[in-house]
């Protein structure tokens, strides 16, 4: 018997979505009846080395065969990592295989989109509400923001399954697609597998948190994307006037208009603080937010450690993770990475940057660099002597002095400052700017985590070091922004 869907397109979509929700609900209800940990232990003993093949197939099929539209890939990666935690496979080999397979799947989907996608979408897209005009808008979007979509979309199920195909069909160049693909697949595969590996004895909770995390990330992307669209829409005066008239004509929204008129000066002030490019606008607000969060983290950890110099619960959890990952070759890597946060390397790099900024007459950026590193240089030893926290007892690498806060972690925030300065101040609008900032953040994170891995710092020491560095650069940048704005205002008054 053939079931005919309603002819009305909107009704048809409602029916399809309802069927999908029923299917998902039934799947969740079925999986709750399974003892995942026992099933995992059975699978790990039965499959053994075949787990590599299974995880590789799913990592490839996630995008290469659009399997991700039906089965969430995080589940397979987490379960694969959990089998490694059971001792059936090697976690490093598993990550390497899954990473390569995920890259191959993305590349396959991209090439399918490149060869067949555009004509396919233009021919069949109108059935799903995607006409030529909308598809050309997608092409323009991927031309401007395709890399960020590939990177962030790796952590959102349906976006992950479709983004490479859409990127290929929209005309995005593979050389622009490749670095984001490699970074995104590596972060996604590694985080999911390591999560399953570390918490293999409590896999039900991990799967639950992973699902909630994916939902929260997806919701956050929708909120941010919607906010950006709303901002750009309301930036046009005609759209604002039309929206206000519509709201004033409806009882449910009329009170919003009256409230906005009553508090118009305050709302204008708030809007100016959230508007990029205005005097002391969104840039200043962002710096103040960073300073507030970093200051809170630093003060909170200092208060905790002064009261009890021993490891915090988070420190003990981090130590357990490190002990499960320690190998000889990874220790060698950590030894090399940790040097990137040492004074002997940071100061020469900073000196070269200072000379380049001076040659380009970028005095504001030069002042922030010098002042930020100076604050870190003097604040770290003062805090160490004040708190006097002993280092962990079983250090892999020998080092002297007190533990809190981590000077290497504080120094490493220089890389984030450098990346953000290049993208936002020196080369605004540069291609792959998001990748540059992501690289700076990754480098800063790697230096801090290497200190925990080598057991020369607790995780709380590293968090405090990151907070100190972020606060130092944020306060210097905020002062520089205020000084620049005041100088510009005075200059305008003189010219006027």
């Amino acid at each position: 018997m053939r079931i005919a869907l309603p002819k009305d397109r909107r009704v048809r979509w409602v029916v399809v979505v309802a069927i999908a929700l029923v299917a998902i609900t039934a799947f969740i209800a079925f999986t709750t009846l399974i003892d995942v940990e026992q099933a995992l232990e059975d699978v790990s003993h039965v499959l053994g080395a075949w787990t590599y093949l299974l995880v590789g197939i799913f990592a490839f099929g996630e995008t290469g065969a659009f399997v991700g539209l039906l089965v969430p890939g995080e589940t397979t990666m987490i379960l694969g990592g959990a089998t490694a935690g059971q001792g059936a496979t090697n976690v490093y080999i598993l990550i390497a295989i899954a990473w390569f397979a995920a890259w191959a799947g993305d590349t396959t989907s991209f090439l399918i989109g490149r060869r067949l996608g555009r004509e396919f979408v233009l021919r069949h897209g109108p059935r799903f509400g995607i006409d030529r005009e909308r598809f050309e808008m997608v092409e323009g979007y991927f031309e401007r923001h395709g890399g960020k979509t590939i990177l962030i979309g790796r952590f959102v199920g349906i976006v992950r399954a479709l983004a490479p195909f859409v990127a290929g069909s929209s005309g995005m160049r593979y050389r622009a697609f490749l670095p984001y693909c490699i970074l995104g697949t590596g972060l996604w595969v590694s985080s999911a597998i390591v999560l399953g590996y570390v918490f293999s004895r409590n896999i039900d909770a991990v799967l639950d948190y992973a699902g909630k995390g994916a939902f929260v990330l997806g919701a956050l992307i929708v909120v941010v994307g919607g906010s950006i669209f709303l901002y750009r829409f309301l930036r046009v005066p005609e759209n604002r006037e039309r929206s206000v008239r519509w709201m004033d004509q409806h009882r449910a929204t009329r009170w919003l208009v009256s409230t906005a008129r009553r508090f118009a000066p305050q709302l204008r002030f708030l809007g100016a603080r959230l508007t990029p490019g205005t005097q002391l606008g969104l840039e200043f607000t962002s710096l103040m937010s960073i300073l507030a969060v970093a200051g809170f983290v630093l003060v909170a950890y200092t208060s905790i450690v002064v009261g009890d110099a021993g490891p915090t619960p988070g420190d003990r959890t981090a130590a357990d993770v490190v002990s499960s990952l320690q190998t000889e070759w990874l220790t060698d890597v950590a030894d090399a990475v940790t040097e990137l946060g040492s004074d002997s390397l940071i100061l020469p790099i900073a000196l070269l940057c200072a000379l380049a900024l001076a040659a380009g007459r970028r005095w504001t950026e030069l002042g922030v660099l010098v002042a930020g590193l100076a604050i870190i240089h003097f604040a770290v030893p003062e805090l160490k002597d004040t708190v006097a926290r002993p280092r962990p007892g079983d250090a892999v690498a020998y080092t002297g002095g007190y533990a809190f806060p981590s000077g290497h972690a504080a120094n490493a925030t220089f890389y984030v400052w450098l990346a953000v300065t290049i993208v936002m101040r020196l080369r605004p609008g540069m291609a792959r700017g998001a990748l540059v900032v992501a690289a700076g953040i990754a480098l800063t994170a790697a230096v801090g985590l290497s200190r925990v891995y080598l057991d020369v710092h607790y995780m709380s020491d590293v968090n405090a070091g990151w907070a100190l560095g972020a606060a130092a650069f944020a306060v210097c940048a905020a002062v520089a922004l205020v000084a620049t704005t005041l100088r510009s205002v005075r200059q305008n008054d003189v010219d006027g």
Side-chain angles (χ1 to χ4, degrees):
M1 182 179 67
R2 183 178 179 182
I3 300 176
L5 290 174
K7 293 183 179 181
D8 188 279
R9 182 180 300 170
R10 285 176 288 187
V11 176
R12 188 188 312 169
W13 273 109
V14 171
V15 172
V16 171
V17 171
I19 293 173
L21 290 175
V22 171
I24 292 171
T25 303
F27 175 77
I28 294 173
F30 173 75
T31 53
T32 56
L33 301 176
I34 301 175
D35 186 344
V36 179
E37 294 183 28
Q38 183 60 47
L40 176 64
E41 187 173 352
D42 296 338
V43 167
S44 66
H45 286 105
V46 171
L47 291 181
W50 289 98
T51 304
Y52 295 125
L53 178 62
L54 181 65
V55 171
I57 290 174
F58 269 93
F60 175 86
E62 175 83 7
T63 53
F66 304 101
V67 173
L69 293 173
L70 303 175
V71 180
E74 290 94 347
T75 302
T76 307
M77 298 301 108
I78 290 173
L79 291 178
T83 60
Q86 298 282 346
T89 54
N90 182 288
V91 68
Y92 304 109
I93 297 177
L94 192 67
I95 289 174
I97 291 174
W99 191 346
F100 177 81
W103 162 79
D106 277 14
T107 299
T108 300
S109 179
F110 180 90
L111 294 177
I112 292 174
R114 170 66 61 83
R115 181 172 293 274
L116 304 175
R118 195 175 198 278
E119 293 303 320
F120 178 86
V121 172
L122 291 177
R123 186 166 60 251
H124 300 285
R127 301 179 184 177
F128 305 97
I130 306 175
D131 55 19
R132 177 179 290 273
E133 182 180 357
R134 289 187 177 181
F135 186 71
E136 288 176 350
M137 290 175 60
V138 172
E139 288 181 317
Y141 176 83
F142 263 88
E143 181 68 25
R144 299 188 304 272
H145 308 292
K148 289 176 281 189
T149 303
I150 296 298
L151 179 61
I152 300 175
R154 249 291 149 183
F155 297 87
V156 182
I158 191 170
V159 178
R160 176 172 62 246
L162 294 176
F165 176 84
V166 176
S169 63
S170 67
M172 185 179 184
R173 292 175 296 179
Y174 184 71
R175 66 180 182 181
F177 169 84
L178 182 60
Y180 295 98
C181 170
I182 293 176
L183 181 60
T185 53
L187 291 174
W188 176 71
V189 163
S190 300
S191 59
I193 290 180
V194 170
L195 192 64
Y197 177 81
V198 172
F199 298 100
S200 60
R201 296 295 178 182
N202 193 19
I203 196 65
D204 282 317
V206 173
L207 292 174
D208 180 51
Y209 287 134
K212 291 179 180 177
F215 173 78
V216 170
L217 180 60
L220 181 62
I221 291 173
V222 170
V223 170
V224 172
S227 300
I228 294 174
F229 169 80
L230 188 63
Y231 166 75
R232 291 177 176 174
F233 177 80
L234 295 177
R235 188 169 55 182
V236 180
E238 293 80 4
N239 293 337
R240 289 199 301 271
E241 295 173 2
R242 188 165 59 250
S243 299
V244 170
R245 284 197 303 270
W246 183 91
M247 294 173 67
D248 207 12
Q249 294 169 358
H250 293 78
R251 181 179 300 178
T253 54
R254 190 175 300 148
W255 65 274
L256 290 173
V257 177
S258 60
T259 303
R261 288 169 178 164
R262 180 179 180 183
F263 296 100
Q266 293 86 345
L267 291 175
R268 278 196 295 270
F269 175 83
L270 180 61
R273 303 290 74 75
L274 299 176
T275 302
T278 60
Q279 292 179 354
L280 301 182
L282 182 60
E283 292 83 359
F284 183 77
T285 303
S286 300
L287 290 172
M288 289 295 97
S289 300
I290 293 171
L291 179 60
V293 173
F296 173 80
V297 170
L298 181 59
V299 171
Y301 272 119
T302 303
S303 302
I304 293 171
V305 172
V306 167
D308 182 4
T312 66
D315 295 336
R316 286 190 285 269
T317 300
D320 292 339
V321 173
V322 166
S323 64
S324 66
L325 297 176
Q326 280 184 336
T327 59
E328 185 176 349
W329 72 267
L330 199 53
T331 299
D332 293 336
V333 172
D335 278 328
V337 170
T338 202
E339 288 301 315
L340 296 174
S342 63
D343 288 336
S344 59
L345 188 61
I346 286 287
L347 293 180
I349 296 176
L351 179 60
L352 291 176
C353 292
L355 293 175
L357 291 172
R361 305 182 67 81
R362 305 300 299 235
W363 306 119
T364 301
E365 291 79 8
L366 175 60
V368 173
L369 169 61
V370 174
L373 287 179
I375 291 174
I376 293 172
H377 180 75
F378 289 108
V380 167
E382 287 296 325
L383 272 174
K384 283 182 181 290
D385 292 338
T386 301
V387 176
R389 187 187 201 184
R391 293 186 182 270
D394 301 322
V396 176
Y398 172 78
T399 186
Y402 294 119
F404 184 93
S406 169
H408 282 66
N411 283 341
T413 56
F414 159 78
Y415 297 114
V416 176
W417 171 86
L418 180 60
V420 172
T421 300
I422 291 174
V423 171
M424 297 189 66
R425 302 286 296 181
L426 305 181
R427 297 282 302 279
M430 70 175 295
R432 300 180 179 85
L435 193 61
V436 173
V437 175
I441 295 173
L443 197 55
T444 300
V447 171
L449 294 177
S450 71
R451 306 300 288 173
V452 180
Y453 181 88
L454 296 172
D455 209 16
V456 294
H457 284 294
Y458 295 112
M459 192 69 229
S460 53
D461 302 330
V462 171
N463 289 335
W466 284 332
L468 173 60
F473 281 113
V475 71
C476 293
V479 170
L481 185 59
V482 171
T484 302
T485 301
L486 294 177
R487 185 167 59 248
S488 175
V489 170
R490 286 197 299 268
Q491 185 62 42
N492 291 336
D493 290 341
V494 170
D495 294 341

